[in-house]
Amino acid sequence: MMRTQLGLGAFVATAIVTIASVTPLAAEEKAARNETKIEHRSATSCVGLDIHTCQTKGECLWRKQRATRFGDVRQPHCRVRPYEQVAKKTA
């Protein structure tokens, strides 16, 4: 009976030491992730334009309304063209 209690006490002490040593590391990792957070890009010149204005700008692309494979409906909107398409259009 005495050996079982000693073994259990040693196990509990080891678990407490392990948890106490891991907790500060987790806080440091979380702080490091918050520091390296990606900043959001600012709004582009194409956001909120109507179809005619969007089509006249070379760097903008009009996206038509469509349904996704999950049944959601994407509203038509103006987007910035991918860099490769802008380079081809200007060349």
Side-chain angles (χ1 to χ4, degrees), residues 65-83:
Q65 179 176 344
R66 68 178 188 93
T68 64
R69 62 183 173 160
F70 301 112
D72 297 332
V73 176
R74 300 283 175 152
Q75 295 300 318
H77 59 279
C78 191
R79 298 285 306 243
V80 176
R81 283 185 188 274
Y83 178 75

Side-chain angles (χ1 to χ4, degrees), residues 3-78:
R3 284 189 220 160
T4 306
Q5 290 177 349
L6 287 175
L8 182 62
F11 174 74
V12 170
T14 306
I16 291 172
V17 169
T18 304
I19 291 171
S21 65
V22 170
T23 304
L25 292 176
E28 289 174 7
E29 289 175 5
K30 189 174 182 181
R33 276 185 273 161
N34 287 341
E35 290 175 5
T36 59
K37 199 174 218 180
I38 298 172
E39 294 183 20
H40 293 287
R41 291 187 266 173
S42 60
T44 63
S45 60
C46 299
V47 173
L49 297 178
D50 62 285
I51 186 169
H52 301 294
T53 311
C54 182
Q55 289 174 344
T56 57
K57 287 187 141 195
E59 69 270 6
C60 297
L61 174 69
W62 184 256
R63 294 282 184 168
K64 297 178 185 176
Q65 179 176 344
R66 68 178 188 93
T68 64
R69 62 183 173 160
F70 301 112
D72 297 332
V73 176
R74 300 283 175 152
Q75 295 300 318
H77 59 279
C78 191

